[in-house]
Amino acid sequence: MKTDMEQGTFYEICGVVASVALILGYLPQAIQTIKTRNTDGIALPTFLMMAIGGICFMLQGLLHKPEIIWSLFITNLVTTICSVIVFGIKMYNDYFKKE
């Protein structure tokens, strides 16, 4: 049986690995979209829901008691910022861009 210390360490390692994996998985798409401004293959509702989900996870990380879950907060801060930027580019391309 694992001790509380071992479980806490495992919990933290899982959080950090998940954070890095999510950011590394998400960031290339966001960077490519920002560079190229090409949003043809992106579904608007997807990025809207991802931004809303990220905001909720950030709040969960901040409001967690007895301490903030930084890995949850920082991961979702990065992905939410990227989602909002991609969402904005998509909105501009689909609704405001005059061709």
Side-chain angles (χ1 to χ4, degrees):
M1 181 157 246
K2 292 185 178 184
T3 64
D4 286 342
M5 180 97 146
E6 288 173 328
Q7 286 179 338
T9 302
F10 180 72
Y11 178 82
E12 288 298 319
I13 291 171
C14 283
V16 170
V17 169
S19 296
V20 170
L22 286 171
I23 290 172
L24 291 178
Y26 189 77
L27 213 48
Q29 177 64 52
I31 290 170
Q32 182 178 352
T33 302
I34 293 165
K35 280 183 179 178
T36 65
R37 301 285 190 212
N38 182 355
T39 57
D40 291 339
I42 293 175
L44 194 59
T46 299
F47 278 84
L48 176 60
M49 291 296 110
M50 289 175 71
I52 291 169
I55 291 167
C56 291
F57 275 133
M58 283 190 318
L59 289 172
Q60 182 183 18
L62 284 176
L63 299 174
H64 185 266
K65 300 295 181 202
E67 60 188 37
I68 294 172
I69 304 173
W70 287 108
S71 59
L72 185 64
F73 175 76
I74 292 170
T75 300
N76 286 286
L77 176 64
V78 171
T79 57
T80 300
I81 289 170
C82 290
S83 291
V84 168
I85 291 170
V86 172
F87 180 81
I89 294 169
K90 179 71 172 166
M91 286 290 293
Y92 176 78
N93 286 350
D94 288 359
Y95 300 104
F96 302 112
K97 190 175 182 180
K98 308 260 193 239
E99 292 192 41

